[in-house]
Amino acid sequence: MPDVIFPLDSTRRFTDQDKIGHNRWHPDIPPVATVKPGESFRVHCREWFDGEIHNDDSADDIRNAPLHTVHALSGPFAVEGAKPGDLLVVDILDLGPIPQEDSGPLAGQGWGYTGIFAKPNGGGFLTDQFPDAYKAVWDFSGQKATSRHIPHVSFTGIVHPGLMGTAPSHDLLSTWNTREAALIATDPDRVPPLALPPEPNGAILGNLTGADFDRVAAEGARTAPPRENGGNQDIKNLTKGSRIFYPVFVDGANLSVGDLHFSQGDGEITFCGAIEMGGFIDLRVDLIRGGMDTYGVSENAIFMPGNTDPQFSEWLAFSGTSVTLDGEQRYLDSQLAYQRACLHAIEYLTKFGYSPEQAYLLLGAAPIEGRLSGVVDIPNSCATVYLPTAIFDFPLSPTAEGPVRIDRGMGAPRSPA
């Protein structure tokens, strides 16, 4: 096992650890450790809400989730010799739930969770159709996930970090804050908001104190969206065996990682759509000197997908086009097309006995494939959702006999917005 350079004690809060991570992006957050190119190391990660979500049958914790405190990131980790303009090469060697802890109060101790966020607290991909908070708790058995809240389903998780990235430069941070503030200004009272501006309340900034803490807290970018540094990309295939190439914007690169997922469908459509957990990740880093210019990787990360995905041989696919629910034609709106494909899958699953909320939670957590299938045929984009049929313990495809009716069980806990 590689050396653990960022340990976490499960009995203590994230801010009470010997080494404290962060939940904002800023170049002045000091690194907690330095590694050398070619070195392998292990990092412990807390789930993104640091234990605020519980293994129970209530969704009140999802409704009241403190969005200003996320994400609980491990790091930053400086890479010796890294300079702006380099590419940081990151290999994911291994990752999984909290080691040697198969039961306990923290997500990752034998269980994880998926949540539909209430519309006033961030919402989700289908927030207008699902404005209230819901939750599904998943139990882990080896690589398999099952849920008392969504019965008749079992699948192998594609374990991955939802969030990993390098620190921005001061100029890049200013660019983020300026452009996102301009977007917010177009509709400042929108619910959910168009973007999340800097928020000092709840900021965690490593060992910064005093005036430095106050300045960085006022400037630091929120970690919710993906950006040029990678960040919260929520790519389910960024898993064991993946190699990622991140742009370097500051001396040392200052790599951070967190938001581990036991499984996720493409899009993480409920916003808290993955099976969230704490755990560990083993990484190896290297550098390509001047690689940003050499390969034209100046404002994005590129990666080689992992090689440990579960193998499915049969899928049921649902399509959607860029027409709104009330019949308005939109021009090549691929996001709308994907929303419609998801809604079609949800409606289909209700014919077997699931509630719409159970189906929505399932699409966020299970290893579905989401594809932009046609983006050039005016006026309609076509998007598709591929649902692996083997995850169900009943036949899913249409037949002349009609759908099997399953017992939906206790259902997904709800908490009104």
Side-chain angles (χ1 to χ4, degrees):
M1 185 183 83
D3 290 340
V4 180
I5 65 169
F6 192 88
L8 289 173
D9 181 346
S10 295
T11 66
R12 298 155 65 188
R13 299 283 295 183
F14 190 64
T15 51
D16 295 331
Q17 304 289 328
D18 293 335
K19 292 185 177 181
I20 300 175
H22 63 106
N23 63 0
R24 302 289 190 268
W25 290 117
H26 197 286
D28 295 342
I29 299 173
V32 296
T34 299
V35 296
K36 296 180 179 180
E39 186 174 348
S40 301
F41 53 93
R42 172 166 290 193
V43 172
H44 291 168
C45 298
R46 188 61 53 82
E47 60 88 19
W48 71 315
F49 275 117
D50 189 27
E52 293 289 340
I53 312 300
H54 311 297
N55 185 353
D56 59 21
D57 300 323
S58 168
D60 289 353
D61 49 5
I62 293 290
R63 181 194 62 198
N64 301 322
L67 197 59
H68 64 285
T69 67
V70 297
H71 294 78
L73 296 182
S74 301
F77 307 108
V79 179
E80 190 174 291
K83 296 291 183 183
D86 294 343
L87 282 180
L88 178 65
V89 185
V90 181
D91 289 312
I92 300 179
L93 306 178
D94 197 8
L95 72 159
I98 299 175
Q100 287 81 51
E101 297 182 27
D102 57 6
S103 64
L106 291 179
Q109 294 177 319
W111 65 281
Y113 65 90
T114 301
I116 298 173
F117 264 39
K119 187 172 182 177
N121 194 28
F125 191 53
L126 305 175
T127 193
D128 289 335
Q129 290 76 40
F130 298 90
D132 295 333
Y134 288 83
K135 183 171 73 178
V137 173
W138 300 86
D139 294 311
F140 304 155
S141 178
Q143 293 180 288
K144 293 282 188 180
T146 58
S147 175
R148 63 184 181 270
H149 298 131
I150 310 175
H152 302 284
V153 171
S154 173
F155 51 83
T156 299
I158 307 177
V159 187
H160 61 281
L163 196 161
M164 186 157 55
T166 53
S169 65
H170 285 277
D171 286 345
L172 184 56
L173 174 64
S174 177
T175 295
W176 293 350
N177 287 337
T178 299
R179 74 187 183 201
E180 291 171 27
L183 177 62
I184 293 170
T186 65
D187 191 357
D189 299 321
R190 185 180 186 272
V191 177
L194 289 168
L196 300 173
E199 173 55 74
N201 180 33
I204 302 171
L205 305 172
N207 62 9
L208 286 180
T209 59
D212 286 335
F213 181 97
D214 293 340
R215 173 181 58 82
V216 171
E219 298 171 351
R222 307 284 285 280
T223 58
R227 297 188 180 93
E228 288 88 338
N229 66 328
N232 193 29
Q233 294 183 296
D234 291 315
I235 301 170
K236 76 176 194 299
N237 306 102
L238 204 70
T239 183
K240 299 177 188 179
S242 290
R243 171 169 286 184
I244 312 100
F245 303 84
Y246 288 109
V248 174
F249 301 105
V250 301
D251 286 346
N254 285 2
L255 177 73
S256 300
V257 62
D259 190 27
L260 299 189
H261 298 162
F262 189 84
S263 179
Q264 182 200 295
D266 279 338
E268 199 189 10
I269 60 175
T270 74
F271 184 44
C272 185
I275 301 180
E276 307 284 351
M277 68 172 193
F280 75 95
I281 185 167
D282 294 343
L283 302 173
R284 181 173 57 235
V285 295
D286 213 331
L287 294 170
I288 298 176
R289 306 291 182 183
M292 288 174 64
D293 282 343
T294 301
Y295 290 101
V297 183
S298 59
E299 58 180 23
N300 65 293
I302 60 176
F303 75 101
M304 301 166 66
N307 52 15
T308 59
D309 294 358
Q311 301 299 308
F312 297 106
S313 60
E314 184 176 283
W315 306 75
L316 191 61
F318 302 85
S319 61
T321 58
S322 47
V323 179
T324 68
L325 285 170
D326 58 7
E328 179 188 350
Q329 180 70 63
R330 299 283 180 84
Y331 179 77
L332 296 182
D333 187 336
S334 295
Q335 174 162 313
L336 174 59
Y338 193 52
Q339 287 179 329
R340 294 304 304 273
C342 291
L343 287 169
H344 293 153
I346 289 168
E347 182 179 13
Y348 184 87
L349 289 172
T350 64
K351 302 303 182 182
F352 294 81
Y354 288 117
S355 71
E357 292 77 23
Q358 286 176 309
Y360 186 23
L361 287 161
L362 177 61
L363 293 184
I368 67 168
E369 298 283 344
R371 303 182 186 181
L372 299 182
S373 300
V375 295
V376 296
D377 298 312
I378 60 172
N380 273 332
S381 288
C382 177
T384 46
V385 170
Y386 286 55
L387 189 59
T389 59
I391 71 175
F392 299 91
D393 67 5
F394 57 88
L396 192 68
S397 298
T399 66
E401 292 75 23
V404 173
R405 295 292 296 184
I406 56 99
D407 179 358
R408 72 175 64 168
M410 68 185 299
R414 170 179 177 260
S415 186

